[in-house]
Amino acid sequence: RCSSSAESIDVVAATATGEARRTALQDAVIRALEVRGPGAVTHRAVAAEAGVPVTAVETALRDILGTPPGAI
């Protein structure tokens, strides 16, 4: 639980940033599929298409799948 309004704003900002990144990653997957086909959709290709580090793709996938760090 947040103890101040500043902390609450930080949590909201982090959530909004996370949502924006997830949307960017979803759009990147769709673009990669359209342009290169399903065989070319890799962590690295999606990261490049979205303009984010590969670790961002791995973290998002881990969150979606509910897997522990290092399992992907």
Side-chain angles (χ1 to χ4, degrees), residues 6-72:
E7 287 178 10
S8 178
I9 291 169
D10 289 344
V11 170
V12 170
T15 301
T17 301
E19 289 295 326
R21 181 166 277 183
R22 276 188 289 282
T23 299
L25 290 172
Q26 290 170 347
D27 292 345
V29 169
I30 292 167
R31 283 192 305 273
L33 277 169
E34 290 174 344
V35 173
R36 299 181 189 106
V41 179
T42 63
H43 290 174
R44 193 174 303 263
V46 172
E49 190 71 41
V52 300
V54 174
T55 54
V57 176
E58 294 167 349
T59 299
L61 186 57
R62 220 180 16 253
D63 290 347
I64 291 166
L65 298 175
T67 57
I72 296 178

